[in-house]
Amino acid sequence: MSKLTHFSDDGRPHMVDVGDKEATARRSVASGTVAMEPSTLTLLQEGAAKGDVIGVATLAGIMGSKRTADLIPLCHPLPLNKVDVVIEPDVDLPGVRIKVTAKTHGKTGVEMEALTAVTVAALTVYDMLKAVDRSMVLGAIQLEEKEGGKSGAWVRSDTD
């Protein structure tokens, strides 16, 4: 296994030095779910006139991605070029599926920003619906793919 980059040779945590790295186009896609009772999903789908849960959670995900370096101790602050949050109801779950694409042009990747956006969006869905369903489960928060940088492209396979 490779060396953990966030620790010095003597085991102390440190922020990775990216100063000598070349800036490249970076893109990451992350996903997650919020499973809920079918009646809660129905309320979410029919409740847009009384409150747009998906709209608020979408904005929260974007805002969360921009605060990643404030939340994850060793993350570099990144200028984000794009963050796209898509939240779709899924009756088979039942619940919502969240997919985030984050882009930048920089010296380090945007995996953490995409994952943070998914997590904050999922937490917002939970917060807005918890009055009617405290049994919701946030799940399957994961990196789907990344592009750019020294390590190149990576795509989740069925065995990951």
Side-chain angles (χ1 to χ4, degrees):
M1 173 172 254
S2 302
K3 176 184 168 191
L4 297 175
T5 58
H6 288 91
F7 293 96
S8 65
D9 290 338
D10 61 356
R12 291 180 301 109
H14 69 99
M15 187 179 224
V16 175
D17 183 355
V18 297
D20 293 332
K21 291 175 79 175
E22 188 160 334
T24 62
R26 314 284 185 133
R27 176 179 164 276
S28 292
V29 178
S31 65
T33 61
V34 181
M36 59 190 65
E37 294 294 327
S39 59
T40 306
L41 180 59
T42 299
L43 180 65
L44 179 143
Q45 291 175 298
E46 294 175 353
K50 295 179 183 171
D52 185 2
V53 172
I54 290 176
V56 173
T58 298
L59 289 175
I62 293 167
M63 292 172 66
S65 71
K66 297 191 298 183
R67 300 301 300 251
T68 300
D70 294 330
L71 299 168
I72 310 299
L74 301 175
C75 279
H76 293 83
L78 296 179
L80 295 169
N81 295 339
K82 180 175 179 68
V83 177
D84 182 38
V85 178
V86 177
I87 303 172
E88 295 181 330
D90 181 342
V91 295
D92 294 327
L93 189 55
V96 295
R97 295 194 180 277
I98 303 166
K99 183 176 179 181
V100 173
T101 302
K103 294 182 180 182
T104 192
H105 189 273
K107 297 181 177 194
T108 189
V110 288
E111 295 97 315
M112 296 308 300
E113 287 72 13
L115 288 162
T116 299
V118 168
T119 304
V120 171
L123 287 168
T124 301
V125 169
Y126 186 95
D127 183 48
M128 296 186 74
L129 297 173
K130 71 180 185 269
V132 296
D133 185 358
R134 293 195 190 275
S135 69
M136 289 178 284
V137 176
L138 283 61
I141 296 172
Q142 59 193 15
L143 184 66
E144 296 292 341
E145 57 185 273
K146 65 138 316 264
E147 296 174 359
K150 182 178 163 184
S151 63
W154 177 87
V155 177
R156 177 171 295 285
S157 68
D158 291 342
T159 60
D160 285 335

